[in-house]
């Protein structure tokens, strides 16, 4: 939602993704109004719990961790006192849910009860990116225990080939396959956490993820990324738009995939 309406990242010399470097770039007269998008996003937050409804008119009240992360990142990006207060409500909610074993994929917006019990790498990486950005902007160390623990949990998912595994299913069983999107997330957040903490283990981890992306996930024959690997370790060569749009932002590289997306993914229906 957030990243989808922001078009370009100003490259950083560190090669690390930070939402503060993302800019709105469009000259189209029919482009959506980002202020209206933001107002709609803010209106999804339930003040009592701090969580945002992921889908309008969802009577089950699902609040997905990924959505909470990008919403909190957007609130922080806006930077006003009221915006930062909304980000804090999200993080306070997750502070109350923190166990050190990774956040589940979805909670109930009102009660914060578990609604999707799988614990997967991508949503946790995004929550960590959001927390680090909030810390960078505010200087507050309130959530350092949660930041450090979530970083350690993500690092524990890294395989010997450098790729980060998917996580755990709803019953707690390991999900050993690997998602390219999740590994782009992991690359971005390992670098961000290294810059925040100075812990060189995460710089090394990011380098190993980068090697996996280049040697396993990248499909040189088509000039794009594969979706990832299957349960048995074989390559899943399917296409997914996230791996085209997110790769240049996460890595400050692979920019040529954006042109490939115009051929592979673009809707030409009129």
């Amino acid at each position: 939602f957030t990243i989808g309406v922001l078009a370009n990242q100003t490259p950083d010399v560190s090669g690390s993704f930070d939402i503060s470097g993302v800019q709105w770039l469009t000259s189209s007269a029919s482009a959506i109004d980002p202020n209206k998008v933001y107002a709609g996003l803010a209106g999804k937050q339930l003040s009592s719990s701090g969580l945002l409804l992921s889908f309008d008119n969802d009577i089950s009240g699902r609040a997905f961790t990924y959505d909470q992360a990008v919403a909190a990142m957007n609130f922080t990006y806006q930077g006003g006192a009221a915006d930062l207060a909304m980000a804090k409500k999200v993080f306070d909610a997750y502070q109350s849910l923190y166990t050190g074993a990774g956040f589940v994929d979805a909670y109930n917006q009102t009660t914060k009860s578990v609604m999707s019990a799988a614990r997967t790498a991508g949503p946790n990486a995004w929550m960590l990116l959001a927390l680090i950005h909030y810390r960078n902007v505010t200087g507050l160390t309130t959530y350092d225990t949660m930041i450090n623990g979530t970083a350690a949990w993500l690092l524990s998912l890294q395989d010997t080939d450098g790729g980060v595994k998917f996580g755990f299913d709803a019953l707690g069983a390991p999900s050993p396959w690997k998602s390219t999107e999740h590994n782009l997330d992991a690359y971005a957040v390992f670098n961000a956490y290294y810059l925040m903490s100075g812990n060189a283990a995460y710089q090394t981890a990011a380098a190993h993820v980068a090697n996996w992306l280049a040697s396993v996930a990248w499909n040189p024959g088509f000039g794009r990324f594969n979706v990832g690997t299957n349960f048995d370790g074989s390559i899943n060569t399917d296409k997914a738009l996230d791996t085209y749009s997110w790769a240049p932002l996460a890595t400050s590289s692979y920019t040529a995939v954006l042109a490939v997306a115009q051929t592979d993914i673009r809707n030409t229906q009129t």
Side-chain angles (χ1 to χ4, degrees):
F1 190 100
T2 303
I3 299 303
V5 298
L6 297 167
N8 188 54
Q9 180 192 6
T10 303
D12 186 275
V13 292
S14 67
S16 174
F17 171 78
D18 192 302
I19 190 69
S20 63
V22 175
Q23 303 171 355
W24 179 275
L25 294 179
T26 182
S27 57
S28 172
S30 60
I32 59 175
D33 183 346
N35 294 317
K36 290 183 178 178
V37 173
Y38 184 72
L41 181 67
K44 291 177 178 288
Q45 187 172 48
L46 184 65
S47 181
S48 59
S49 70
L51 300 182
L52 290 84
L53 189 66
S54 289
F55 301 102
D56 289 342
N57 304 315
D58 178 9
I59 60 173
S60 67
R62 290 171 295 174
F64 283 87
T65 292
Y66 169 78
D67 298 341
Q68 311 311 304
V70 292
M73 191 180 287
N74 200 334
F75 296 151
T76 305
Y77 178 88
Q78 297 300 317
D83 308 301
L84 293 174
M86 288 190 290
K88 183 178 183 297
K89 281 182 176 292
V90 174
F91 298 137
D92 285 348
Y94 274 79
Q95 182 96 296
S96 74
L97 296 163
Y98 174 72
T99 66
F103 296 109
V104 302
D105 284 357
Y107 298 93
N108 181 274
Q109 183 196 25
T110 303
T111 67
K112 295 188 286 188
S113 59
V114 173
M115 295 198 72
S116 179
R119 292 169 291 127
T120 53
N124 279 274
W126 275 99
M127 183 55 69
L128 185 53
L129 278 170
L131 284 160
I132 291 171
H133 179 56
Y134 181 84
R135 188 184 193 273
N136 290 342
V137 168
T138 65
L140 297 174
T141 58
T142 309
Y143 306 112
D144 275 13
T145 296
M146 181 163 52
I147 289 172
N148 296 334
T150 304
W153 183 80
L154 283 167
L155 186 61
S156 74
L157 297 179
Q158 190 162 45
D159 206 349
T160 54
D161 64 358
V164 171
K165 292 175 282 190
F166 200 79
F168 299 88
D169 68 18
L171 297 178
S175 302
W177 54 89
K178 301 182 181 80
S179 159
T180 298
E181 180 192 356
H182 285 191
N183 275 271
L184 290 166
D185 303 341
Y187 175 82
V189 81
F190 285 159
N191 272 321
Y193 184 73
Y194 162 67
L195 292 173
M196 188 206 89
S197 67
N199 187 334
Y202 289 86
Q203 184 182 41
T204 300
H208 291 327
V209 173
N211 182 67
W212 183 88
L213 288 167
S215 62
V216 177
W218 180 249
N219 190 324
F222 292 98
R224 62 167 176 83
F225 284 101
N226 299 308
V227 164
T229 64
N230 298 309
F231 187 91
D232 62 0
S234 61
I235 304 299
N236 181 341
T237 60
D238 287 346
K239 303 171 186 176
L241 180 57
D242 334 58
T243 64
Y244 295 77
S245 58
W246 176 216
L249 285 168
T251 67
S252 295
S253 185
Y254 296 107
T255 54
V257 300
L258 297 175
V260 178
Q262 293 293 317
T263 301
D264 287 356
I265 304 292
R266 186 177 184 179
N267 182 5
T268 58
Q269 292 179 330
T270 58

